[in-house]
């Protein structure tokens, strides 16, 4: 019985860690957007990846085009660029600034985005350090 309890705690810790990484990713994308360091969409991302201007690539897991996913993953592997996957394209689009904010600051008319590349992180932050540590430990 204690073994099952330990397994549940480990899974919860991993889920909490993933949530923290996604929060850190959101902050990093926001700062990169402010510093004009994001490429959004397949064409812009493929150009940035091929020119080796990218520091980080974020891909949506719910992308319905397998060739799209294969291309982005292959370019990241070829040029040794960190690749991270998020669950939803709408969520990634919101983080990448592809939405309209209403008076309360809530996102409206969110456009889905399957791929985002960070070309410039902007100023150093705790979220960026957390994200880079995550990639060091998971490679």
């Amino acid at each position: 019985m204690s073994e099952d309890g330990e397994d549940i705690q480990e899974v919860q810790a991993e889920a909490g860690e993933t949530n923290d990484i996604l929060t850190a990713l959101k902050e990093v994308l926001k700062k990169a957007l402010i510093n004009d360091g994001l490429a959004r969409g397949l064409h812009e991302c493929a150009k940035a990846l091929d020119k080796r201007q990218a520091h980080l690539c974020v891909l949506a897991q719910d992308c319905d085009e397998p060739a799209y996913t294969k291309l982005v993953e292959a370019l990241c592997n070829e040029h040794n660029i960190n690749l991270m996957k998020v669950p939803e394209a709408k969520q990634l689009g919101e983080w990448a600034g592809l939405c309209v904010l209403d008076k309360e600051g809530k996102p409206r008319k969110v456009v889905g985005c399957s791929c985002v590349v960070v070309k410039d992180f902007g100023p150093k932050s705790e979220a960026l350090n957390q994200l880079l540590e995550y990639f060091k430990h998971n490679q």
Side-chain angles (χ1 to χ4, degrees):
M1 177 138 176
S2 64
E3 290 179 11
D4 293 329
E6 290 174 9
D7 291 340
I8 292 170
Q9 288 175 351
E10 288 175 13
V11 170
Q12 288 174 345
E14 289 174 7
E17 182 179 315
T18 303
N19 193 20
D20 291 341
I21 292 301
L22 291 178
T23 305
L25 177 65
K26 181 179 177 181
E27 289 180 35
V28 167
L29 289 177
K30 191 180 293 185
K31 290 190 187 238
L33 178 64
I34 292 169
N35 289 301
D36 197 31
L38 284 184
R40 300 169 286 199
L42 179 62
H43 185 72
E44 286 183 34
C45 291
K47 283 194 318 187
L49 289 168
D50 206 26
K51 291 180 181 178
R52 296 185 175 144
Q53 295 174 334
H55 298 294
L56 169 67
C57 182
V58 185
L59 188 64
Q61 289 177 340
D62 65 349
C63 179
D64 56 353
E65 185 63 42
Y68 189 111
T69 311
K70 280 174 102 176
L71 173 68
V72 172
E73 288 176 349
L75 286 170
C76 288
N77 286 337
E78 182 181 336
H79 301 303
N80 295 324
I81 296 168
N82 291 326
L83 176 66
M84 187 165 193
K85 294 189 177 184
V86 295
E88 298 178 3
K90 291 278 187 186
Q91 185 180 39
L92 185 57
E94 180 185 332
W95 294 351
L98 296 174
C99 62
V100 177
L101 299 176
D102 63 6
K103 293 177 184 176
E104 291 89 35
K106 295 180 182 176
R108 303 279 180 217
K109 298 183 182 177
V110 178
V111 177
C113 184
S114 294
C115 185
V116 173
V117 166
V118 178
K119 298 187 287 186
D120 179 17
F121 285 120
K124 300 285 184 194
S125 66
E126 184 63 36
L128 177 59
N129 292 338
Q130 184 180 2
L131 205 57
L132 293 175
E133 283 294 318
Y134 173 79
F135 284 120
K136 278 184 187 175
H137 294 298
N138 291 337
Q139 281 190 350

